[in-house]
Amino acid sequence: MRNIRKPATGFSAAVCLTAALALGAAVPAFGAEKAGPPGKQDRPAIVGHRGSAGLSPENTVAGFEQARNHGADLFEVDVQLSSDGEIFLFHDATGTRTSNVAEVFPERAGDPITSFSAAELSQLDAGAYFGGSFAGEPIPDLRDAALVTNPRTGINIELKSPENSPGVEAKLAEALGEKRYWQRLIARDQIVVSSFDEASLRTFHDLMPQIPVLLIGAVPDDAGLAALAGWADGLVTNYRTLDPADVARVQAAGLTLDVYTVNSVDAMQQMTALGVDSIITDFPGVLSALQTGRNPLPDANGVEVSTVVADPPGNDVQPQNGEYVLLTNTGSVPVDVSGYVLQDAVINRLTVGSGYVLNPGGELRVYTGPGTNTAERYYNNRTTAVLNNTGDSLAIFTPGGTFVDLYAY
Ligand code: G3P
Ligand code: MG
């Protein structure tokens, strides 16, 4: 059970999928002096994961702009190399989840995204998967991302699966050498490069030692930390597996400690209390609201995720008793939840059917798999599981796109 919900402090802008880009007014009040090196501030730096991946398509300019407009100190992007050696921004190993590759190149839909040339990648739509209002968003390159930065919002560039992009380290160093785009960011210490791949990160570091580098992975023992501190600037780790004692241990070694991907108010508060240097989240606006004393979920209407059963005994999508999300109305008035959308971190969406009204205290189990609908149970009739058994997050939206709750497990 959660212990969230900071009281409203008068902030009332609607956080809507459809209107999210209009949230320029939500930029926090802190000034340019708050930007700068992650981990050198009196609060954790806000890093928008893949832009603002919970409210807009990941690794797109629309998402980078939203992260900036929602108060992110940095936005994170994933870089890969096209078959003809051009850097592009994309997370997955294939285009199937976040692009329309199956429509444009049906014979090659499952091929590595790095097997496409830059010209071919430019034909893909990287926005429509998220929602119709984002249709037409192209796969960006690094310059596109640089143009979104400003004195408050810098960039975290992740070398994504560099084994699929041989030579990406030198290409990245070459690109960042383009002064017109990067000189100011480098001078303001507003750019970091990260990777799960230590060898790749070190190769980049040797080419461009003036850019801070962050290794992504588990916290090593003290000897490992000392070795890492010999060349890297920080460590990025999964908040779910973080031992609280490791925060001080990492920082005592002279490294910053960042955590990913923190998609609940509770977890954001816990990580802030632990003193981490940066919090990477798909919802930078939620964290920014917390840091500036605003209501992080201003359109909450009492309907909350109270439990997730992601790994029931047996098959996760078995008839009647598979995985489910329990919605509860914690408010004082009935809420019609027909058409409500439950969205996980990789933008799988479960919906609630029509005719469901939750009275105060009322509960509804929303199942992924098949079953017989009742007043307390709604089945999505899907054949594959959605809820990640090792942890996931769920954002809840009304049918009109109003963002009402955020939950992580
Ligand atoms: O920077 C942390 C995070 O981006 C690493 O995970 O898979 O989302 O790139 P991933
Ligand atoms: Mg990444």
Side-chain angles (χ1 to χ4, degrees):
M1 281 298 182
R2 288 172 300 163
N3 166 26
I4 64 170
R5 302 287 182 266
K6 280 191 98 165
T9 54
F11 176 70
S12 62
V15 180
C16 299
L17 270 180
T18 47
L21 293 180
L23 267 181
V27 174
F30 48 79
E33 75 283 0
K34 286 291 188 182
K40 302 290 192 297
Q41 305 168 83
D42 56 5
R43 59 178 175 83
I46 303 168
V47 184
H49 184 230
R50 308 181 196 171
S52 182
L55 294 174
S56 55
E58 65 182 51
N59 281 303
T60 65
V61 166
F64 307 152
E65 289 176 344
Q66 189 184 67
R68 181 194 63 197
N69 294 344
H70 283 192
D73 297 287
L74 303 171
F75 57 86
E76 188 254 1
V77 305
D78 300 285
V79 300
Q80 304 195 54
L81 274 192
S82 67
S83 63
D84 51 347
E86 298 292 328
I87 287 179
F88 66 101
L89 308 186
F90 205 84
H91 177 272
D92 289 5
T94 75
T96 50
R97 185 179 67 87
T98 61
S99 84
N100 64 343
V101 67
E103 291 168 28
V104 182
F105 301 104
E107 307 295 320
R108 298 168 61 197
D111 289 358
I113 195 69
T114 50
S115 69
F116 291 79
S117 68
E120 289 167 341
L121 293 169
S122 73
Q123 298 173 49
L124 298 181
D125 182 326
Y129 86 93
F130 196 92
S133 63
F134 293 104
E137 277 292 324
I139 295 174
D141 64 20
L142 266 180
R143 291 174 180 167
D144 298 321
L147 292 173
V148 181
T149 64
N150 69 11
R152 283 182 175 166
T153 304
I155 189 168
N156 174 333
I157 300 172
E158 181 183 348
L159 291 156
K160 174 52 64 187
S161 305
E163 68 278 12
N164 299 334
S165 297
V168 67
E169 303 85 1
K171 288 280 187 181
L172 180 59
E174 183 187 332
L176 297 182
E178 200 173 9
K179 290 193 167 48
R180 178 179 159 203
Y181 289 90
W182 302 103
Q183 190 172 34
R184 278 173 294 185
L185 278 169
I186 294 170
R188 292 195 299 252
D189 219 354
Q190 279 188 293
I191 176 167
V192 295
V193 169
S194 59
S195 188
F196 283 97
D197 187 315
E198 183 167 345
S200 173
L201 191 66
R202 197 150 186 175
T203 297
F204 172 80
H205 169 69
D206 290 343
L207 292 167
M208 224 170 178
Q210 66 271 41
I211 307 262
V213 288
L214 313 177
L215 181 65
I216 310 173
V219 178
D221 61 18
D222 286 345
L225 284 175
L228 186 62
W231 62 276
D233 300 87
L235 188 69
V236 184
T237 203
N238 186 330
Y239 84 95
R240 290 184 173 89
T241 55
L242 176 64
D243 177 343
D246 280 345
V247 179
R249 208 162 61 80
V250 172
Q251 292 169 338
L255 295 160
T256 58
L257 181 65
D258 303 354
V259 286
Y260 73 94
T261 306
V262 184
N263 286 345
S264 78
V265 171
D266 269 359
M268 288 172 183
Q269 290 173 326
Q270 287 163 11
M271 291 300 117
T272 300
L274 287 180
V276 301
D277 294 283
S278 298
I279 294 177
I280 301 170
T281 174
D282 291 324
F283 299 87
V286 171
L287 181 53
S288 176
L290 272 177
Q291 291 189 353
T292 54
R294 290 174 287 131
N295 185 346
L297 294 167
D299 293 308
N301 62 3
V303 176
E304 296 182 5
V305 176
S306 49
T307 305
V308 172
V309 176
D311 192 17
N315 189 325
D316 284 358
V317 287
Q318 64 191 283
Q320 296 295 131
N321 294 311
E323 64 178 33
Y324 68 90
V325 178
L326 183 65
L327 291 182
T328 303
N329 182 356
T330 64
S332 55
V333 296
V335 179
D336 185 348
V337 295
S338 305
Y340 269 45
V341 176
L342 288 58
Q343 173 187 291
D344 79 352
V346 289
I347 322 300
N348 290 304
R349 292 183 179 127
L350 301 176
T351 57
V352 177
S354 57
Y356 285 90
V357 175
L358 279 187
N359 289 315
E363 294 183 336
L364 176 66
R365 286 171 161 77
V366 182
Y367 287 83
T368 302
T372 304
N373 295 335
T374 67
E376 289 83 30
R377 295 170 171 231
Y378 181 76
Y379 292 87
N380 273 258
N381 290 315
R382 294 175 69 135
T383 53
T384 53
V386 163
L387 305 170
N388 193 332
N389 290 350
T390 56
D392 205 339
S393 60
L394 288 161
I396 309 301
F397 301 94
T398 70
T402 300
F403 177 29
V404 297
D405 191 37
L406 183 60
Y407 178 88
Y409 62 93

mmCIF file of all heavy atoms in Angstrom, residues 49-50 76-78 91 158 160, ligand 2:
data_model
loop_
_atom_site.group_PDB
_atom_site.id
_atom_site.type_symbol
_atom_site.label_atom_id
_atom_site.label_comp_id
_atom_site.label_asym_id
_atom_site.label_seq_id
_atom_site.Cartn_x
_atom_site.Cartn_y
_atom_site.Cartn_z
ATOM 1 N N HIS A 49 13.635 10.074 -18.857
ATOM 2 C CA HIS A 49 14.062 8.819 -19.489
ATOM 3 C C HIS A 49 13.553 8.733 -20.919
ATOM 4 O O HIS A 49 12.355 8.799 -21.155
ATOM 5 C CB HIS A 49 13.509 7.649 -18.662
ATOM 6 C CG HIS A 49 13.941 6.300 -19.112
ATOM 7 N ND1 HIS A 49 13.060 5.273 -19.327
ATOM 8 C CD2 HIS A 49 15.183 5.790 -19.369
ATOM 9 C CE1 HIS A 49 13.717 4.185 -19.674
ATOM 10 N NE2 HIS A 49 15.005 4.472 -19.717
ATOM 11 N N ARG A 50 14.468 8.586 -21.860
ATOM 12 C CA ARG A 50 14.143 8.536 -23.288
ATOM 13 C C ARG A 50 13.290 9.751 -23.673
ATOM 14 O O ARG A 50 12.452 9.669 -24.570
ATOM 15 C CB ARG A 50 13.433 7.229 -23.648
ATOM 16 C CG ARG A 50 14.154 5.968 -23.187
ATOM 17 C CD ARG A 50 13.434 4.686 -23.576
ATOM 18 N NE ARG A 50 13.952 3.554 -22.801
ATOM 19 C CZ ARG A 50 13.422 2.349 -22.774
ATOM 20 N NH1 ARG A 50 12.368 2.079 -23.531
ATOM 21 N NH2 ARG A 50 13.938 1.394 -22.024
ATOM 22 N N GLU A 76 17.354 11.930 -21.360
ATOM 23 C CA GLU A 76 18.200 10.801 -21.745
ATOM 24 C C GLU A 76 17.799 10.308 -23.122
ATOM 25 O O GLU A 76 16.599 10.253 -23.449
ATOM 26 C CB GLU A 76 18.045 9.688 -20.699
ATOM 27 C CG GLU A 76 18.991 8.528 -20.859
ATOM 28 C CD GLU A 76 18.331 7.266 -21.398
ATOM 29 O OE1 GLU A 76 17.116 7.272 -21.675
ATOM 30 O OE2 GLU A 76 19.046 6.274 -21.571
ATOM 31 N N VAL A 77 18.800 9.992 -23.946
ATOM 32 C CA VAL A 77 18.548 9.451 -25.285
ATOM 33 C C VAL A 77 19.425 8.219 -25.471
ATOM 34 O O VAL A 77 20.440 8.053 -24.785
ATOM 35 C CB VAL A 77 18.866 10.487 -26.392
ATOM 36 C CG1 VAL A 77 18.098 11.780 -26.172
ATOM 37 C CG2 VAL A 77 20.372 10.772 -26.475
ATOM 38 N N ASP A 78 19.018 7.356 -26.383
ATOM 39 C CA ASP A 78 19.786 6.148 -26.698
ATOM 40 C C ASP A 78 20.340 6.282 -28.103
ATOM 41 O O ASP A 78 19.579 6.544 -29.045
ATOM 42 C CB ASP A 78 18.875 4.916 -26.640
ATOM 43 C CG ASP A 78 18.262 4.736 -25.262
ATOM 44 O OD1 ASP A 78 18.985 4.311 -24.347
ATOM 45 O OD2 ASP A 78 17.061 5.041 -25.102
ATOM 46 N N HIS A 91 15.831 3.186 -28.889
ATOM 47 C CA HIS A 91 16.195 2.290 -27.790
ATOM 48 C C HIS A 91 16.256 0.821 -28.175
ATOM 49 O O HIS A 91 17.225 0.122 -27.890
ATOM 50 C CB HIS A 91 15.218 2.454 -26.620
ATOM 51 C CG HIS A 91 15.506 1.498 -25.508
ATOM 52 N ND1 HIS A 91 14.972 0.223 -25.445
ATOM 53 C CD2 HIS A 91 16.327 1.600 -24.421
ATOM 54 C CE1 HIS A 91 15.419 -0.407 -24.387
ATOM 55 N NE2 HIS A 91 16.246 0.403 -23.736
ATOM 56 N N GLU A 158 23.085 7.817 -23.967
ATOM 57 C CA GLU A 158 23.444 6.429 -23.664
ATOM 58 C C GLU A 158 23.910 5.715 -24.925
ATOM 59 O O GLU A 158 23.200 5.691 -25.941
ATOM 60 C CB GLU A 158 22.260 5.669 -23.056
ATOM 61 C CG GLU A 158 22.676 4.226 -22.732
ATOM 62 C CD GLU A 158 21.564 3.340 -22.196
ATOM 63 O OE1 GLU A 158 20.481 3.843 -21.843
ATOM 64 O OE2 GLU A 158 21.797 2.112 -22.156
ATOM 65 N N LYS A 160 23.752 2.760 -26.570
ATOM 66 C CA LYS A 160 22.818 1.646 -26.411
ATOM 67 C C LYS A 160 23.294 0.429 -27.204
ATOM 68 O O LYS A 160 23.496 0.521 -28.412
ATOM 69 C CB LYS A 160 21.428 2.087 -26.869
ATOM 70 C CG LYS A 160 20.363 1.007 -26.913
ATOM 71 C CD LYS A 160 20.237 0.220 -25.613
ATOM 72 C CE LYS A 160 19.784 1.003 -24.429
ATOM 73 N NZ LYS A 160 19.831 0.247 -23.157
HETATM 74 MG MG MG B 2 18.642 4.411 -22.155
#
